[in-house]
């Protein structure tokens, strides 16, 4: 039997699949399509590219192997976070260089606002709440991280603030954390609703989206690229490869740049009104400073949406229900022992340097990998920049630090041992 989480014929079951508005109608590609731009992958990267390129007047064809939002974009926690997971602005600038460093930091700074602006502009039904994203410190020693982030993001104009212990208790609805920081431009969405809404907006702007249409090869055809699927092909001058952690070897080395790391997501049954009012009462989305991340948010129906990581994937359902119920009850005693209505998972594209790797793979061919778990806002923003590149803006004018494709060495082995990193993170989380 096909694994329902990895079967491209259907959306995997999840809270979001059960609650997002329907996808716009699409069909597989049949025959030849000709466009200015072909986009491979209908997650946020590809859909944002398609929307912005179509709005700029390009003819656009999107090819999606499965369904709109079938990859990470339809399965994530829906936290809209305008930061990278590990690197702060100074480190980003040091890593990518003075030329593109600050422009790229500014792109990240404004990325959450972009998501909520798009949702408002296109009337996307995505349960959007822009009441801030908060990162509490799980040990007093980690308040140093909060201070550094407020200083570095604040000096670059981000709407951030330090949060003391009492205020954090009020924001989170628990004494579990020691304080932290928050970014007011962040928030939460129904991630699949957002993907489907972006798709509808792209179609409205003139893009064509073909689903159940895996790109099997990319070849040169005169002055154009030919992207072939089982049912036909697309001829286009420009190409965006937006397959991320769900990609295969369509372009040499691109998908091998990341290790797909499984992240488990869970949603409780709807909690009672009093409990709902007492946890994250102001509607924040929250991810703490642990390596084995604690993350929580509500959906629009009073379900607490959380999850975690496991070292061993086999038989995950039962173990996860026990582990995360115990965790949630410890963090939020008022919750009692929660029951989960939904458990699902997806793959995050993780790389070694924790930096997004952004490429011009050949003239007019763009792609990126390496969200490292922070991609809702970032993929949207990078997609917009790919659209500008496809529409003719010179790369040197765009805030994208380009790098050569760099596959993870011994990736097969690295992929097998990656889940064991969770054990190390758990140990490190207990140290100052
Ligand atoms: C479980 C989980 C939780 C997460 N939580 C958060 C969060 O709360 N906040 C946050 O900021 N980020 C989060 N992320 C990361 C975020 O979801 C991703 O960074 C983002 O969705 C990446 O979008 P994308 O379009 O680049 O890739 P995807 O959404 O993965 O899209 C890639 C698409 O390409 C398609 N594809 C692959 N190969 C082909 C082919 N050959 N032909 C055609 N189509 C192809 C796939 O089917 C897929 O639909 C999470 C990720 C996961 C997995």
């Amino acid at each position: 039997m096909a694994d329902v989480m990895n079967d491209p014929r259907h959306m995997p079951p999840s809270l979001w699949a059960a609650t997002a508005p329907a996808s716009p109608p699409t069909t597989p590609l049949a025959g030849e399509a000709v466009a200015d731009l072909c986009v491979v992958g209908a997650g946020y990267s590809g859909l944002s590219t398609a929307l912005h390129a179509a709005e700029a007047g390009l003819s656009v064809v999107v090819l999606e192997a499965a369904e709109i939002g079938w990859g990470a974009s339809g399965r994530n926690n829906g936290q809209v976070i305008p930061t990278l997971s590990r690197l702060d602005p100074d480190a980003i600038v040091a890593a990518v260089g003075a030329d593109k460093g600050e422009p790229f930091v500014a792109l990240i700074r404004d990325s959450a606002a972009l998501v909520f602006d798009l949702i408002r502009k296109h009337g996307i039904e995505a349960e959007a709440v822009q009441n801030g994203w908060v990162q509490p410190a799980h040990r007093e020693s980690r308040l140093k991280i909060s201070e550094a982030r407020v200083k570095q993001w604040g000096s670059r104009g981000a709407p951030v603030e330090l949060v003391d212990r009492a205020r954090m208790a009020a924001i989170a609805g628990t004494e579990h954390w020691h304080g932290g920081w928050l970014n007011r431009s962040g928030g939460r969405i129904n991630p699949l609703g957002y993907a489907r809404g972006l798709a509808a907006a792209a179609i409205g702007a003139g893009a064509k989206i073909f689903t159940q249409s895996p790109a099997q090869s990319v070849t040169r055809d005169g002055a154009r690229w030919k992207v072939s699927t089982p049912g036909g092909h697309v001829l286009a001058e420009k190409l965006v490869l937006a397959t991320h952690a769900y990609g295969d070897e369509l372009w040499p080395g691109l998908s091998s740049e990341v290790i797909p790391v499984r992240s488990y997501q869970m949603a409780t049954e709807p909690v009672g009104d009093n409990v709902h009012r007492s946890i994250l009462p102001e509607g924040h989305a929250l991810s703490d400073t642990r390596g084995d991340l604690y993350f929580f948010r509500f959906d629009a129906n009073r379900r607490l949406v959380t999850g975690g990581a496991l070292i061993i994937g086999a038989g995950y359902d039962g173990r996860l229900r026990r582990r995360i119920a115990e965790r949630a009850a410890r963090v939020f005693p008022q919750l009692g022992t929660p029951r989960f209505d939904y458990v699902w998972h997806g793959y995050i594209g993780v790389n070694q340097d924790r930096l997004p790797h952004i490429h011009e793979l050949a003239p007019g061919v763009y792609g990126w990998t390496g969200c490292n778990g922070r991609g809702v806002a970032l993929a949207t923003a990078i997609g917009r920049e790919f659209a500008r590149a496809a529409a003719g803006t010179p790369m040197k004018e765009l805030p994208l630090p380009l790098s050569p494709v760099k596959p993870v060495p011994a990736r097969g082995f690295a992929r097998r041992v990656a889940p064991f990193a969770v054990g190390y993170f758990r140990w490190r989380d207990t140290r100052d």
Side-chain angles (χ1 to χ4, degrees), residues 8 39-47 63-83 191 210 213-217 227 229 242-250 261-265 287 295 297 344-349 368-380:
V39 176
V40 182
Y44 306 137
S45 301
L47 294 167
L63 297 175
E64 164 54 49
E67 299 297 327
I68 289 161
W70 182 87
S73 298
R75 309 173 187 226
N76 64 67
N77 199 253
Q79 300 205 13
V80 187
I81 308 172
T83 71
F210 297 101
S213 302
Q216 294 174 310
S217 65
V227 186
T229 71
T243 57
H244 216 139
Y246 284 85
D248 42 26
E249 278 304 302
L250 193 59
V261 172
R262 203 187 262 193
S263 165
Y264 297 93
Q265 302 289 310
S287 315
F295 53 91
R297 51 150 301 176
W344 70 100
H345 67 70
Y347 288 99
I348 292 176
W368 83 286
T369 62
C371 75
N372 293 293
R374 296 276 163 84
V376 172
L378 185 64
T380 306

Side-chain angles (χ1 to χ4, degrees), residues 25-251:
T26 53
T27 56
L29 176 68
E32 181 175 277
V34 178
D36 298 320
L37 169 66
C38 177
V39 176
V40 182
Y44 306 137
S45 301
L47 294 167
S48 172
T49 303
L51 169 61
H52 289 100
E55 283 181 337
L58 270 58
S59 58
V60 183
V61 168
V62 181
L63 297 175
E64 164 54 49
E67 299 297 327
I68 289 161
W70 182 87
S73 298
R75 309 173 187 226
N76 64 67
N77 199 253
Q79 300 205 13
V80 187
I81 308 172
T83 71
L84 299 187
S85 59
R86 184 110 19 122
L87 274 70
D88 296 328
D90 292 352
I92 297 169
V93 174
V96 308
D99 181 30
K100 295 288 183 173
E102 292 296 345
F104 188 51
V105 166
L107 173 137
I108 299 167
R109 178 198 63 206
D110 298 339
S111 59
L114 171 67
V115 169
F116 290 105
D117 285 349
L118 286 170
I119 287 172
R120 280 187 289 267
K121 176 176 173 190
H122 297 285
I124 293 173
E125 290 176 47
E127 305 175 11
V129 177
Q130 192 180 12
N131 272 5
W133 172 76
V134 63
Q135 185 177 46
H138 75 282
R139 295 177 74 80
E140 205 165 347
S141 59
R142 301 303 202 280
L143 288 170
K144 282 201 296 287
I145 299 177
S146 318
E147 283 160 16
R149 291 185 171 160
V150 167
K151 184 162 173 257
Q152 292 184 34
W153 283 111
S155 69
R156 289 161 169 104
V160 295
E161 64 195 66
L162 260 183
V163 177
D164 67 16
R165 187 165 192 153
R167 173 76 183 122
M168 185 59 78
I171 286 174
T174 170
E175 304 276 341
H176 180 80
W177 287 289
H178 295 261
W181 69 292
L182 77 78
N183 185 314
R184 287 189 299 279
S185 75
R188 55 176 225 229
I189 55 170
N190 176 321
L192 182 59
Y194 175 52
R196 288 176 172 172
L198 277 181
I203 292 168
K208 294 192 168 63
I209 301 179
F210 297 101
T211 48
Q212 300 298 326
S213 302
Q216 294 174 310
S217 65
V218 174
T219 52
R220 211 56 191 150
D221 186 282
R224 296 181 294 193
W225 296 97
K226 180 176 179 182
V227 186
S228 302
T229 71
H233 62 258
V234 182
L235 295 172
E237 249 175 66
K238 304 278 172 68
L239 186 56
V240 167
L241 300 177
T243 57
H244 216 139
Y246 284 85
D248 42 26
E249 278 304 302
L250 193 59
W251 192 277

Side-chain angles (χ1 to χ4, degrees), residues 258-283:
V258 286
I259 297 172
V261 172
R262 203 187 262 193
S263 165
Y264 297 93
Q265 302 289 310
M266 313 171 71
T268 66
E269 60 187 4
V271 302
D273 274 339
N274 287 343
V275 173
H276 183 238
R277 271 195 294 272
S278 76
I279 296 175
L280 294 165
E282 296 167 43

